Amino acid sequence: RRIATAADEPRRYAVAVAPGDDGVPRDGAGRPLPRGRWQLQVNVLDRDQQTAGLLYRLWRLARLRAGTNRRPLRSLRRALEQESLMAYAAFAADVRTPRLTGTCEVGTEAALLAYEHVPGRRLDELADDEIDDALLTDVWCQFARFQAARLAHRRLEGHAILLSDAPGSAADVPDEDGAEDGAATEPATGRRLAHLVGFDVGEVAAGDLALRLDRAQLLTTLALRVGAERAVATAAPVLGEGALAAAVPLLQRVALTRATRTALRHDRHLLTRIREQILTLEPEAETEPVRLERFRPRTIVSIIALTFAAYIVIPQLTSVQLDQIGERANWWWVALGAVAAAVTYLAAALMLIGFVPERLPLWRTVVVQIAASFVKLVAPAAVTGVALNTRYLQKYGIRSGPAVASVGASQLMGMVVHILMLVVFGFITGSTQTATHDLAPSRTIMIVLLMFAIPVAVALAVPRVRRFVTARLRSMFSGVLPRLVDVLQSPRKLATSLGGTLLLTAGFVVCLDASIRAFGGSLPWTAVVVVFLTGNALGSAAPTPGGLGAVEGALTLALTISGLPAEIATSSVLLFRLLTFWLPVAPGWAAFAYLQRKEAI
């Protein structure tokens, strides 16, 4: 009869065995089967099962730094040999597991593996109140034997742990000669016994990384059922605190199976709680996550964004003679743009100082902002400043919580001021009778905004959605709001932070306007403000390093709409990005090296 299995598992069948000539059922090697266990479980490997999920396996193989050379697609023969080898190795290592009694190929399309049948249920079929600490300890004991033999399972989910029905399993029942057959030698105790099953993707002679990955996977699997505290508490006496500590850097979502990652969506903080439980036992354990990914999905998005940006920007560059830009540019305006760009680093430092109750040195804070111009070459613009400033505050002696809250408050203030200025100057620009009327809010834009706002309002009317959004916002701004209150209560801090925010925008606007005038162009200052705010918003949201590509495309398009010729618009944007993005890279690298040498970041 067919046994229900998960979609990614081999098909399983419970098979009744006919007795031999002497009336005794025997396995494939001719050995008598234990009394009372005259059934086999037959796993079927077939072509469809081998190719199922191939694209996902290829993606995981390309993305992750695997500890061994795993093949995404194996021949049927190789799959049969691998599972057979794993089953024999686990049995020889005294791991309690159903004994493999025989294998065979069925033509070229399928293969069979016959195991002794162990009546019982899988871990994911048990109710929570059926999983006691004795059962968890037994699971860890079998897993410890598995690890001692350097065997890696690679998929220790709930369906990989079989709990035999009391009083034990087939492996625990003596055969006709009175000898014990099977990996386990425990007597019938009237309790469930744990068996490890499902070795189709396992590995022998596994490396340390594969073994630690298994440890992290089983910790998460059990914690999903019984909680982090019980999972760690039952594992520590069996595996040891050092072994658990070695799994902490691998407690990452990317290291777990797809089904486990899906289950973690309902408990996003479970991995954190597992780490905390282990660190209470081993406070000196290494906590820095091991880098398992060759690249992140964000890298793919960045490549696509850069390609799209190049598609937009490169055709515009064909109308620009790059070798003539230096000859045509007015160097007085170029010098003014360079000064304005330099002022932005002072403004960014004032923004941060205004949100930190502690007194920060102005000079060193400015140097940190210059160093950020080098770091943004390898990360999106919205990430670099936050990460570097937070690190700077922590090294200065400010605790992590207040440091993150201060940087978050400065970013929140900047975002609010940015949006307000964009709205105000957008309406001012739209009210003037100039060529910039295309940038003004139109009836179409208002309709689009309403079409977006109505579904959002309907979604927020659902209590569950509203609670989710409220919880996320509370966790995001719980530490930021007290910092904002502190700033509002201090006129000096408020003036510093708000002045830095306005000075930052003014510096960039003056630099952009000077870049336009350097090539003989001219726009109303209100239009230049709207153009910069629009391009900066898109650059902050873009996943590319420093908003590369997105800023150039947005600014060039906005300047062209505002009435500048395409050649002047493109030249102006290139000069603006040269002054604000490319030229500061070298000073930024020097500042970054200086701060590292002084242990300031």
Side-chain angles (χ1 to χ4, degrees):
R1 67 181 168 83
R2 177 75 179 270
I3 301 174
T5 59
D8 56 348
E9 286 187 276
R11 287 181 286 127
R12 300 199 306 262
Y13 295 87
V15 178
V17 181
D21 296 336
D22 56 359
V24 178
R26 298 180 182 275
D27 62 16
R31 294 172 297 190
L33 289 175
R35 288 180 178 174
R37 301 292 188 268
W38 288 11
Q39 283 189 323
L40 297 177
Q41 176 184 297
V42 176
N43 291 359
V44 179
L45 305 179
D46 55 32
R47 296 291 183 189
D48 294 338
Q49 193 266 337
Q50 291 296 108
T51 57
L54 176 60
L55 292 178
Y56 175 75
R57 294 199 299 273
L58 287 171
W59 164 252
R60 294 280 289 181
L61 182 66
R63 181 185 175 191
L64 299 183
R65 300 173 181 269
T68 56
N69 296 322
R70 301 178 64 194
R71 296 185 179 182
L73 182 61
R74 299 167 296 173
S75 67
L76 195 62
R77 180 72 184 180
R78 183 174 179 83
L80 175 65
E81 292 173 347
Q82 179 174 355
E83 184 170 347
S84 301
L85 177 61
M86 280 295 300
Y88 290 134
F91 195 83
D94 204 25
V95 177
R96 193 184 301 120
T97 181
R99 186 173 65 184
L100 180 64
T101 63
T103 61
C104 71
E105 287 186 304
V106 183
T108 60
E109 299 298 324
L112 306 179
L113 297 100
Y115 293 89
E116 290 180 353
H117 177 67
V118 177
R121 289 181 290 169
R122 304 298 174 105
L123 180 66
D124 51 13
E125 297 173 346
L126 264 64
D128 292 343
D129 56 2
E130 296 182 87
I131 306 175
D132 55 19
D133 287 352
L135 184 58
L136 293 174
T137 300
D138 193 36
V139 172
W140 287 116
C141 287
Q142 301 309 310
F143 177 71
R145 297 180 186 179
F146 202 72
Q147 294 246 303
R150 303 201 70 83
L151 302 177
H153 191 285
R154 305 307 296 260
R155 198 163 61 182
L156 280 167
E157 302 169 352
H159 60 74
I161 302 172
L162 173 66
L163 291 316
S164 64
D165 294 334
S169 70
D172 303 318
V173 181
D175 62 18
E176 293 184 337
D177 299 327
E180 294 275 354
D181 281 330
T185 58
E186 296 86 351
T189 60
R191 65 177 177 86
R192 291 188 177 93
L193 300 176
H195 301 68
L196 298 185
V197 296
F199 302 127
D200 50 307
V201 294
E203 297 174 5
V204 297
D208 290 338
L209 178 59
L211 298 179
R212 293 165 66 194
L213 285 170
D214 263 8
R215 228 170 292 159
Q217 175 65 51
L218 186 56
L219 275 168
T220 308
T221 296
L222 296 182
L224 283 168
R225 296 302 312 274
V226 302
E229 184 176 354
R230 286 181 63 194
V232 174
T234 53
V238 180
L239 300 182
E241 297 172 357
L244 291 181
V248 171
L250 294 169
L251 286 169
Q252 310 172 42
R253 289 177 58 88
V254 70
L256 306 174
T257 63
R258 179 162 46 178
T260 305
R261 295 198 304 273
T262 301
L264 285 174
R265 294 176 184 173
H266 304 291
D267 192 351
R268 298 180 181 273
H269 303 291
L270 179 64
L271 295 181
T272 301
R273 293 200 300 273
I274 296 175
R275 295 189 198 100
E276 292 172 350
Q277 291 296 322
I278 296 176
L279 291 177
T280 57
L281 302 175
E282 191 76 12
E284 301 300 323
E286 181 183 354
T287 58
E288 188 69 22
V290 173
R291 184 180 176 185
L292 298 173
E293 298 171 285
R294 289 192 176 98
F295 58 86
R296 297 183 178 182
R298 187 174 62 191
T299 306
I300 304 297
V301 176
S302 299
I303 293 173
I304 295 174
L306 282 172
T307 303
F308 182 72
Y311 178 78
I312 295 176
V313 174
I314 289 177
Q316 299 175 12
L317 293 177
T318 57
S319 62
V320 179
Q321 299 295 327
L322 296 178
D323 57 342
Q324 297 179 6
I325 288 182
E327 299 176 1
R328 293 172 33 232
N330 186 321
W331 288 99
W332 289 106
W333 285 111
V334 173
L336 177 61
V339 172
V343 170
T344 60
Y345 297 104
L346 173 63
L350 293 176
M351 277 184 62
L352 181 62
I353 291 174
F355 283 96
V356 180
E358 295 79 4
R359 187 171 182 176
L360 297 177
L362 177 61
W363 162 247
R364 179 158 290 187
T365 308
V366 172
V367 173
V368 172
Q369 310 314 310
I370 297 175
S373 63
F374 166 70
V375 181
K376 68 184 178 183
L377 281 176
V378 295
V383 176
T384 53
V386 173
L388 195 62
N389 284 326
T390 302
R391 180 65 175 173
Y392 166 60
L393 295 181
Q394 290 174 337
K395 296 293 285 187
Y396 191 73
I398 301 174
R399 291 183 295 109
S400 298
V404 173
S406 297
V407 176
S410 66
Q411 295 294 316
L412 181 61
M413 173 67 80
M415 181 182 68
V416 171
V417 172
H418 191 106
I419 294 174
L420 291 177
M421 293 179 66
L422 184 59
V423 172
V424 171
F425 283 98
F427 276 97
I428 293 176
T429 302
S431 64
T432 59
Q433 299 299 320
T434 65
T436 60
H437 62 84
D438 289 327
L439 291 177
S442 65
R443 181 178 301 177
T444 303
I445 294 177
M446 298 304 295
I447 293 174
V448 172
L449 292 177
L450 286 175
M451 291 176 62
F452 174 76
I454 290 174
V456 172
V458 172
L460 292 178
V462 180
R464 185 173 181 180
V465 175
R466 188 169 59 252
R467 286 194 298 269
F468 173 77
V469 173
T470 303
R472 293 299 299 271
L473 291 177
R474 185 183 296 114
S475 63
M476 186 181 301
F477 296 114
S478 58
V480 171
L481 294 181
R483 287 292 183 178
L484 289 176
V485 173
D486 292 340
V487 172
L488 294 176
Q489 292 176 349
S490 173
R492 183 176 179 180
K493 288 289 184 181
L494 179 61
T496 301
S497 59
L498 186 58
T501 303
L502 296 176
L503 182 61
L504 183 67
T505 301
F508 281 120
V509 170
V510 171
C511 182
L512 179 58
D513 186 62
S515 300
I516 295 171
R517 295 180 185 275
F519 295 99
S522 179
L523 284 178
W525 66 274
T526 54
V528 177
V529 173
V530 173
V531 168
F532 165 73
L533 293 175
T534 304
N536 187 60
L538 292 176
S540 299
T544 56
L548 192 61
V551 174
E552 288 82 356
L555 290 179
T556 303
L557 180 61
L559 290 176
T560 305
I561 293 176
S562 300
L564 280 181
E567 182 178 355
I568 294 179
T570 305
S571 301
S572 302
V573 170
L574 290 177
L575 177 59
F576 174 74
R577 290 293 277 172
L578 179 67
L579 296 175
T580 60
F581 184 78
W582 293 110
L583 287 183
V585 169
W589 173 81
F592 190 82
Y594 168 79
L595 293 171
Q596 282 189 318
R597 190 166 58 252
K598 296 295 184 179
E599 297 185 352
I601 56 175

